[in-house]
Amino acid sequence: RYQIHTGLQHSIIRPTQPNCLPLDNVTLPQKLKEVGYSTHMVGKWHLGFYRRECMPTQRGFDSFFGSLLGSGDYYTHFKCDSPGICGYDLYENDNAAWDHDTGIYSTQMYTQKVQQILASHNPGKPIFLYIAYQAVHSPLQAPGRYFEHYRSINNINRRRYAAMLACLDEAINNVTLALKKYGYYENSIIIYSSDNGGQPMAGGSNWPLRGSKGTYWEGGIRAVGFVHSPLLKNKGSVCKELVHITDWFPTLITLAEGQIDEDIQLDGYDIWETISEGRRSPRVDILHNIDPIYTKAKNGSWAAGYGIWNTAIQSAIRVNHWKLLTGNPGYSDWVPPQAFSNTGPNRWHNERISWSAGKTVWLFNITADPYERVDLSARYPDVVKQLLRRLSQFNKTAVPVRYPPKDPRSNPKLNGGVWGPWFKEDEKKKKSDKSKGANKQKKNKNKKKAN
């Protein structure tokens, strides 16, 4: 489902927020369990944990080893959300995994866990393994030996990033070798995907694409990925069709011969034939997002959106070759690779965008101009109107944003120094029972008075 259909269309789930993926959203592992799969997760969860029901083991995974938050230290698994609000974040199933705290780098530790799972499972029985490595997210940390090949990179962040990626590449190789060693490989599908564009301030590079992580420019939303399997019909091909993260759910359930409930309103499509045989994608559009809470664009208005859409609202949509952005799409510069610091600032300054024009609508032909350099909104007002209407249609189906304020009970100090579920359902019940009791007493008093 798109973010607008889960309520998670604004920002991310913060460690202190009582929020998680809504419990009525059926997950991929839950559907795969229905058809006999063992399901295991290793790595970063980041879908909320304020109550037990939100934890990975309650959302379809037989086992979970990893972290609940969005980021943290790769060695100590420690994370501060703000000064004094700090805690440990490494879990095995539903408990803090203190005994695994041996100072091993998380990319290597997660790979060892994957190898153990594969060694102990029967390869004749189906298994779904979701590995969400922490790398290459900040903080930029890597074991020393991976730096050796990158001494020529002057920019220290870029050098660390390269070292982290080298270690990640080795991890993917080790997982593949384990699949072969334990007899899974011939009947496996390996899907590798990133979750967003790079963060130039933390070693990443999206050049020559525009923008960065956290924006709706191509540099923020285009992610690299590949599918590798002996079961692919067309091997070694490049897929240039529209593919969105929501497509994995129906694609993998169908491949596993599972059932997709007809009454579930899905935004994803089964794209297996697109990937495997090079067929056209069933998808003609992608709603990148509509975020009604994000800082409104000062110059945005209904008039600028032809009375169809308020262009102050941050949104982006792709239909065939066209992409439309409205509102405040986020940091929009083209950041040249900073691998060699001497080409840095001067080249970068030439690529900076000044916002004096106060635009709130952009239109690009992404096939012809993936770098988003030529805005076509003035030349094709009819296309703009068409895409604004599509945005408006999507928006009618949106659910309210879930972005609750901080809950002081989330402080790890109150939870044995660990980030973990803090919301107790029985407290709520007690309170409501008490208030029910109080209401009864009131009613009785009122009855007496009436009598």
Side-chain angles (χ1 to χ4, degrees):
R1 283 182 174 156
Y2 286 137
Q3 306 95 301
I4 63 160
H5 297 143
T6 63
L8 300 176
Q9 59 269 61
H10 177 67
S11 189
I12 55 171
I13 296 174
R14 309 276 166 192
T16 54
Q17 280 181 318
N19 196 11
C20 73
L21 177 73
L23 299 175
D24 57 358
N25 280 240
V26 179
T27 66
L28 181 57
Q30 282 170 332
K31 295 302 292 176
L32 293 176
K33 270 173 82 82
E34 287 177 8
V35 283
Y37 274 72
S38 290
T39 57
H40 301 276
M41 174 177 170
V42 175
K44 165 178 161 175
W45 174 241
H46 205 193
L47 283 175
F49 59 87
Y50 77 104
R51 46 194 275 197
R52 254 195 78 243
E53 295 91 332
C54 300
M55 296 282 281
T57 49
Q58 308 293 312
R59 305 305 300 266
F61 286 107
D62 294 330
S63 77
F64 165 61
F65 180 74
S67 65
L68 296 173
L69 308 188
S71 64
D73 190 286
Y74 282 72
Y75 292 98
T76 64
H77 320 296
F78 204 72
K79 167 81 171 182
C80 291
D81 183 57
S82 56
I85 313 283
C86 303
Y88 183 67
D89 178 30
L90 182 66
Y91 268 76
E92 180 136 45
N93 298 323
D94 294 339
N95 299 306
W98 293 108
D99 49 337
H100 284 277
D101 193 12
T102 51
I104 179 169
Y105 185 64
S106 81
T107 302
Q108 294 163 327
M109 179 173 67
Y110 289 158
T111 305
Q112 287 172 11
K113 188 69 183 174
V114 170
Q115 288 164 328
Q116 287 166 18
I117 291 168
L118 292 172
S120 58
H121 182 82
N122 172 2
K125 296 200 168 147
I127 183 170
F128 171 65
L129 189 50
Y130 172 55
I131 317 164
Y133 283 107
Q134 210 181 329
V136 287
H137 201 288
S138 59
L140 301 180
Q141 298 170 294
R145 69 184 174 91
Y146 295 98
F147 285 85
E148 287 162 16
H149 297 298
Y150 305 108
R151 298 204 187 286
S152 62
I153 299 179
N154 294 330
N155 181 306
I156 184 65
N157 279 350
R158 193 71 178 144
R159 194 187 315 158
R160 285 184 185 137
Y161 192 94
M164 294 167 83
L165 199 55
C167 183
L168 180 64
D169 282 345
E170 186 181 276
I172 303 300
N173 183 44
N174 288 337
V175 169
T176 311
L177 290 173
L179 286 169
K180 289 179 175 174
K181 178 180 175 182
Y182 298 115
Y184 298 89
Y185 178 77
E186 291 304 321
N187 196 29
S188 283
I189 295 164
I190 302 169
I191 296 168
Y192 176 96
S193 173
S194 178
D195 53 354
N196 45 249
Q199 180 55 277
M201 305 304 163
S205 172
N206 304 308
W207 178 266
L209 298 178
R210 185 174 185 175
S212 64
K213 174 183 172 173
T215 73
Y216 297 160
W217 302 106
E218 291 297 287
I221 56 176
R222 225 176 238 248
V224 292
F226 63 80
V227 177
H228 173 82
S229 172
L231 308 172
L232 283 172
K233 289 189 180 168
N234 289 5
K235 293 183 175 59
S237 59
V238 176
C239 174
K240 293 196 172 180
E241 292 291 305
L242 284 186
V243 172
H244 187 256
I245 192 166
T246 52
D247 299 333
W248 293 126
F249 183 89
T251 303
L252 295 180
I253 292 168
T254 306
L255 268 176
E257 298 177 353
Q259 287 298 309
I260 293 172
D261 312 325
E262 285 179 14
D263 55 341
I264 294 187
Q265 292 284 300
L266 285 188
D267 297 306
Y269 295 86
D270 176 358
I271 50 162
W272 183 246
E273 289 181 349
T274 306
I275 293 167
S276 173
E277 300 172 33
R279 299 216 187 163
R280 294 304 305 268
S281 172
R283 177 180 279 291
V284 292
D285 55 18
I286 294 174
L287 177 70
H288 293 309
N289 199 19
I290 298 169
D291 184 343
I293 290 186
Y294 195 81
T295 315
K296 302 285 186 288
K298 285 196 181 83
N299 300 9
S301 65
W302 284 95
Y306 300 100
I308 301 165
W309 182 257
N310 180 0
T311 65
I313 293 169
Q314 186 196 48
S315 72
I317 188 169
R318 171 82 185 262
V319 179
N320 294 317
H321 303 298
W322 296 107
K323 177 180 172 188
L324 180 91
L325 301 98
T326 74
N328 180 354
Y331 180 81
S332 65
D333 293 354
W334 292 267
V335 184
Q338 299 148 67
F340 308 105
S341 52
N342 54 359
T343 64
N346 299 336
R347 179 114 184 248
W348 189 357
H349 289 312
N350 296 341
E351 295 286 2
R352 303 219 79 146
I353 290 290
S354 73
W355 285 101
S356 53
K359 280 182 66 59
T360 57
V361 179
W362 295 261
L363 178 71
F364 300 99
N365 181 327
I366 295 296
T367 310
D369 175 28
Y371 316 126
E372 296 170 298
R373 288 185 176 273
V374 185
D375 171 29
L376 300 169
S377 58
R379 201 182 307 173
Y380 296 105
D382 288 350
V383 177
V384 171
K385 286 177 195 167
Q386 198 181 331
L387 269 63
L388 290 172
R389 280 190 203 101
R390 191 82 187 94
L391 258 183
S392 176
Q393 280 172 339
F394 270 123
N395 199 43
K396 288 189 179 108
T397 68
V399 300
V401 178
R402 295 165 65 103
Y403 198 73
K406 274 185 182 180
D407 186 332
R409 293 175 296 175
S410 62
N411 192 335
K413 279 180 188 160
L414 308 174
N415 199 15
V418 179
W419 288 105
W422 71 84
F423 186 89
K424 305 287 187 287
E425 197 60 53
D426 49 345
E427 281 178 24
K428 240 187 164 183
K429 277 184 185 157
K430 275 179 195 165
K431 276 184 189 167
S432 64
D433 289 350
K434 267 188 188 171
S435 58
K436 274 181 192 167
N439 286 344
K440 265 191 180 172
Q441 282 181 332
K442 269 187 194 169
K443 274 183 183 168
N444 291 342
K445 273 186 185 173
N446 290 344
K447 268 187 185 173
K448 280 178 186 169
K449 275 183 190 171
N451 289 342

